[in-house]
Amino acid sequence: MKLYKAKNYQEMSRKAAHVIAAQVILKPDCVLGLATGSSPVGTYQQLIQWYKDGDLDFSKVKTANLDEYKGLTKENDQSYYYFMYQNLFKDINIDMANTNIPDGTNPDSQAEAARYDQVIERLGGVDLQLLGLGRNGHIGFNEPGEAFAKGTHCIDLQPSTIDANKRFFPSIDDVPKQAYTMGIRTIMSARRILLIASGEDKAKALYDSLHGPITPHVPGSILQLHSDVTVVADEAALSLF
Ligand code: F6R
């Protein structure tokens, strides 16, 4: 595991963007696994800037996002599809046909999970998976539990996750209670993983993920078993190291 320390969110974003940019340059038709949330926004902004500067070309890149709220349409401004379009896809030269996100509008959880796993398989797997880390140690929407979930599945979001996400919705009642997420097996089968974390509220989850026992109670701890993980975190997130 490689650990890069950044001073703050901005520096974390720039360093993380360097890792993704290197992947795109070395393999222009790579498959990027992408995340939503606050953590990757600065990274995406940096990638957009390098694209606009003519230094990056996304025309052959394919993407597979980690997760999507169940029940939200692409047009809903809280859907992860909408997030990805607004925060990255609309500002780079990616072919939208090459972008993949679980379909939140599919009410059949088993069918959607199977479909999405097949999508990733047909892509030939993920070359570089970007991950944020939940305050409770979740990766994707794999919440702490008694066992590691395997493939893509539908999950009941934990109260702490609903609480953390309520800032994006008019009220806590509007936060979806379920989501589709890549499973731990899906995430772990990515050839490389890039974990980013910023802020003191991530410090315990980050410490437990990288140094604690490997347990489904801290889903991020499974990353200790992956052979190619790069962590970019700021000083606040690393304050317990
Ligand atoms: C998002 C995702 C989540 C977030 C995590 C951290 O696609 O899968 O695991 O990465 O909840 O969220 P932020 O970055 O908002 O702190």
Side-chain angles (χ1 to χ4, degrees):
M1 186 171 295
K2 297 178 217 76
L3 175 62
Y4 294 102
K5 193 171 181 170
K7 262 202 261 318
N8 50 32
Y9 179 82
Q10 208 183 353
E11 200 181 286
M12 175 201 77
S13 302
R14 206 176 150 77
K15 282 181 194 283
H18 271 294
V19 176
I20 298 173
Q23 174 68 70
V24 172
I25 289 165
L26 289 172
K27 188 178 175 192
D29 61 347
C30 65
V31 178
L32 296 178
L34 297 178
T36 57
S38 317
S39 307
V41 170
T43 305
Y44 294 155
Q45 282 169 357
Q46 182 64 75
L47 292 174
I48 290 167
Q49 190 54 52
W50 286 332
Y51 162 69
K52 288 184 174 162
D53 293 344
D55 291 330
L56 278 180
D57 174 15
F58 292 90
S59 60
K60 296 197 185 78
V61 169
K62 288 161 261 169
T63 65
N65 261 78
L66 282 167
D67 40 20
E68 177 62 284
Y69 286 122
K70 187 174 177 185
L72 299 195
T73 61
K74 288 179 177 177
E75 295 75 33
N76 187 306
D77 64 2
Q78 293 308 326
S79 74
Y80 286 171
Y81 180 95
Y82 190 92
F83 175 99
M84 288 310 301
Y85 188 74
Q86 293 299 329
N87 285 286
L88 182 64
F89 296 155
K90 77 174 170 49
D91 292 317
I92 58 174
N93 66 335
I94 197 156
D95 178 350
M96 285 304 290
N98 285 337
T99 66
N100 299 280
I101 300 183
D103 178 3
T105 64
N106 190 345
D108 184 338
S109 301
Q110 278 191 352
E112 181 53 22
R115 183 196 71 82
Y116 200 62
D117 279 340
Q118 276 166 19
V119 165
I120 294 169
E121 214 180 292
R122 273 203 300 272
L123 289 172
V126 171
D127 289 299
L128 176 65
Q129 177 67 56
L130 175 64
L131 293 178
L133 185 65
R135 284 184 281 180
N136 61 4
H138 73 213
I139 50 175
F141 268 136
N142 294 277
E143 300 281 23
E146 297 307 317
F148 290 113
K150 297 178 189 123
T152 301
H153 57 288
C154 178
I155 191 155
D156 294 329
L157 300 179
Q158 289 206 343
S160 63
T161 302
I162 293 172
D163 191 61
N165 287 353
K166 71 173 185 231
R167 64 194 193 275
F168 301 116
F169 291 85
S171 83
I172 194 159
D173 295 332
D174 296 304
V175 185
K177 307 294 179 288
Q178 289 188 310
Y180 289 123
T181 180
M182 282 185 193
I184 293 293
R185 185 189 60 219
T186 334
I187 293 173
M188 288 293 281
S189 51
R191 287 180 270 283
R192 294 176 67 208
I193 290 179
L194 171 60
L195 175 71
I196 56 175
S198 166
E200 219 176 317
D201 59 340
K202 299 293 173 70
K204 178 148 179 26
L206 188 62
Y207 185 84
D208 289 348
S209 293
L210 304 190
H211 289 300
I214 298 166
T215 161
H217 294 292
V218 182
S221 64
I222 195 77
L223 299 175
Q224 294 176 48
L225 295 181
H226 195 284
S227 59
D228 195 344
V229 177
T230 301
V231 181
V232 184
D234 66 11
E235 282 170 6
L238 289 168
S239 55
L240 296 179
F241 282 66

